[in-house]
């Protein structure tokens, strides 16, 4: 059975989602919606389907999967429409701009019996996959101290809504560093229980934060530092790195590879390059393949609805801590 896919949003991430599903056996892109018809048309010419300006028209295409790539505060309505028709949902991160909306999205899908996954697509990159494997094999013992860094200048081609508090819900933490939050939870293998954070605005006229730093503690006793920056000025290098220090060794993960260092093993592994058989955005292909498999086999998605909600909870706690100057304890 070929699953029929509709995509809302023909921007950068909508294009990458289309790449993913178009390359996935058992999936077919049948429609793409965007307020700018020319953008949707440009993608349908490459990946198939029809182009529309109103995403509601996609719901007439007998969809199996709806991919939501809308501004963060517009996630509830399409989820409700999908749930009513028994359509599974792949939601771009973050799941929502408020915990109330996030929980509503989770509840809508659960009540309708449709699967919901959140696009924490970094998990599907080679360096993260190998790191998770090495952790599962106990190569560095039990994770104790973790450091996560994510930084990149705010690109001028980004849509203006990413700096709107009302629409985006926040700045660098909501648009990009929520990936790092998910990565830390996933690698440590535990929920965050306390958050102490600070935020900064490199652009004094910005409604949202351009920089953030946080100290997180986890239910299993591990602790992590998180630093995120998206300055409005040009600053290099753009990078993301994660270090995991365990009881028997350490892992360092970067965008181009990872390394392990311990008394038993010291090695570096170079990972996927743009000339991969799956292309530069191979992680989107893997994400699409995983979601199609979860639907066909009726299993839980690799990235669960709870993962989306808990990562948002951490970001909200960081904002609260930055406002009050106090440590926030998550329930």
């Amino acid at each position: 059975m070929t699953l029929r896919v509709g995509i809302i949003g023909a921007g950068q991430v909508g294009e990458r989602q289309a790449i993913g599903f178009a390359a996935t056996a058992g999936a077919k892109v049948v429609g793409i919606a965007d307020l700018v018809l020319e953008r949707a048309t440009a993608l349908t010419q490459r990946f198939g389907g029809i182009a529309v300006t109103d995403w509601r028209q996609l719901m007439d295409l007998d969809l199996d999967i709806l991919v939501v790539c809308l501004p963060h505060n517009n996630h509830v309505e399409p989820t409700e429409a999908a749930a009513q028709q028994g359509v599974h949902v792949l939601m771009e991160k973050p799941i929502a701009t408020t915990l109330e909306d996030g929980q509503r999205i989770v509840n809508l899908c659960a009540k309708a019996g449709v699967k919901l996954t959140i696009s924490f697509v970094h998990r599907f990159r080679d360096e993260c996959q190998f790191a998770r494997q090495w952790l599962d094999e106990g190569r560095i013992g039990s994770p104790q101290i973790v450091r996560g860094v994510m930084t990149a200048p705010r690109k001028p081609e980004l849509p203006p809504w990413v700096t709107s508090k009302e629409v985006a819900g926040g700045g660098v933490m909501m648009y990009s560093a929520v990936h790092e939050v998910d990565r830390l939870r996933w690698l440590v293998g535990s929920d965050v229980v306390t958050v102490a954070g600070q935020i900064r605005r490199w652009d004094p006229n910005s409604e949202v934060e351009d920089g953030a730093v946080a100290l997180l503690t986890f239910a299993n006793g591990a602790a992590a530092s998180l630093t995120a920056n998206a300055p409005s000025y040009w600053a290099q290098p753009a990078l993301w790195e994660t270090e995991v220090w365990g009881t028997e060794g350490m892992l360092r993960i970067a965008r181009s590879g990872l390394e392990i260092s311990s008394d038993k093993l010291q090695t570096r592994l170079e990972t996927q390059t743009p000339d991969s058989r799956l292309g530069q955005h191979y992680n989107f292909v893997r994400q699409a393949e995983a979601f199609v498999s979860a639907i066909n086999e009726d299993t839980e998605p690799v990235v669960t609805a709870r993962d989306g909600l808990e990562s948002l909870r951490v970001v909200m706690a960081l904002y609260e801590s930055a406002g009050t100057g106090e440590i926030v304890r998550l329930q």
Side-chain angles (χ1 to χ4, degrees), residues 203-225:
D203 179 354
N205 298 315
S206 177
E207 297 180 12
V208 297
E209 84 284 355
D210 307 303
V213 62
L215 178 63
L216 316 176
T217 61
F218 295 81
N220 65 0
S225 66

Side-chain angles (χ1 to χ4, degrees), residues 15-30:
E15 177 187 23
R16 293 179 183 179
Q17 297 290 0
I19 290 170
F21 280 101
T24 297
K28 179 182 180 180
V29 177
V30 298

Side-chain angles (χ1 to χ4, degrees), residues 8 55-56 66 68 70-84 89 91-92 94-109 116:
I8 310 176
W55 65 261
R56 296 165 187 82
L66 181 68
V68 181
L70 287 171
H72 306 160
N73 68 336
N74 291 331
H75 288 181
V76 174
E77 187 180 0
T79 303
E80 187 170 28
Q84 288 174 351
V89 178
M91 179 70 69
E92 259 304 324
I95 189 172
T97 58
T98 68
L99 288 170
E100 292 76 15
D101 279 354
Q103 187 66 63
R104 185 180 176 192
I105 286 169
V106 171
N107 292 346
L108 283 166
C109 291
L116 169 66

Side-chain angles (χ1 to χ4, degrees), residues 67-255:
V67 182
V68 181
C69 306
L70 287 171
H72 306 160
N73 68 336
N74 291 331
H75 288 181
V76 174
E77 187 180 0
T79 303
E80 187 170 28
Q84 288 174 351
Q85 295 191 24
V87 176
H88 306 287
V89 178
L90 190 155
M91 179 70 69
E92 259 304 324
K93 51 75 192 165
I95 189 172
T97 58
T98 68
L99 288 170
E100 292 76 15
D101 279 354
Q103 187 66 63
R104 185 180 176 192
I105 286 169
V106 171
N107 292 346
L108 283 166
C109 291
K111 184 177 180 180
V114 299
K115 298 188 186 298
L116 169 66
T117 192
I118 312 303
S119 188
F120 286 131
V121 73
H122 288 201
R123 288 198 195 186
F124 296 91
R125 293 187 60 85
D126 272 353
E127 53 270 22
C128 290
Q129 292 282 305
F130 280 112
R132 179 70 266 174
Q133 178 183 331
W134 288 355
L135 286 166
D136 290 342
E137 292 171 352
R139 297 284 188 96
I140 66 167
S142 174
Q144 298 295 310
I145 299 293
V146 187
R147 180 184 71 93
V149 178
M150 196 163 192
T151 180
R154 189 192 305 152
K155 298 178 181 178
E157 60 266 28
L158 288 176
W161 63 260
V162 302
T163 57
S164 165
K165 175 67 174 176
E166 179 181 0
V167 178
V172 62
M173 288 305 305
M174 293 288 262
Y175 187 75
S176 59
V178 68
H179 276 300
E180 185 65 44
V181 173
D182 176 70
R183 197 157 47 239
L184 294 176
R185 288 185 64 254
W186 181 56
L187 292 172
V188 171
S190 182
D191 281 335
V192 175
V193 292
T194 70
V195 179
Q198 290 287 322
I199 61 174
R200 295 293 185 270
R201 291 179 174 85
W202 306 134
D203 179 354
N205 298 315
S206 177
E207 297 180 12
V208 297
E209 84 284 355
D210 307 303
V213 62
L215 178 63
L216 316 176
T217 61
F218 295 81
N220 65 0
S225 66
L226 184 157
T227 304
N229 283 295
S232 52
Y233 53 82
W234 186 252
Q236 290 292 338
L239 58 84
W240 67 258
E241 290 182 348
T242 306
E243 292 180 347
V244 185
W245 296 77
T247 52
E248 299 176 22
M250 66 86 66
L251 282 172
R252 178 177 291 110
I253 311 162
R255 196 171 182 85

Side-chain angles (χ1 to χ4, degrees), residues 99 191-198 213-219 310 312-331:
L99 288 170
D191 281 335
V192 175
V193 292
T194 70
V195 179
Q198 290 287 322
V213 62
L215 178 63
L216 316 176
T217 61
F218 295 81
E310 289 304 310
L312 178 62
R313 196 184 309 278
V314 173
V315 176
M316 293 292 102
L318 192 160
Y319 291 155
E320 180 182 346
S321 176
T324 64
E326 298 180 356
I327 295 174
V328 175
R329 297 188 178 275
L330 281 67
Q331 296 182 355

Side-chain angles (χ1 to χ4, degrees), residues 14-62:
E15 177 187 23
R16 293 179 183 179
Q17 297 290 0
I19 290 170
F21 280 101
T24 297
K28 179 182 180 180
V29 177
V30 298
I32 298 175
D34 196 278
L35 291 175
V36 180
L37 183 60
E38 291 77 12
R39 290 204 308 183
T41 301
L43 291 189
T44 57
Q45 288 174 344
R46 293 170 58 192
F47 304 110
I50 67 169
V52 298
T53 55
D54 187 341
W55 65 261
R56 296 165 187 82
Q57 294 175 266
L58 296 179
M59 308 312 297
D60 298 327
L61 300 179
D62 193 25

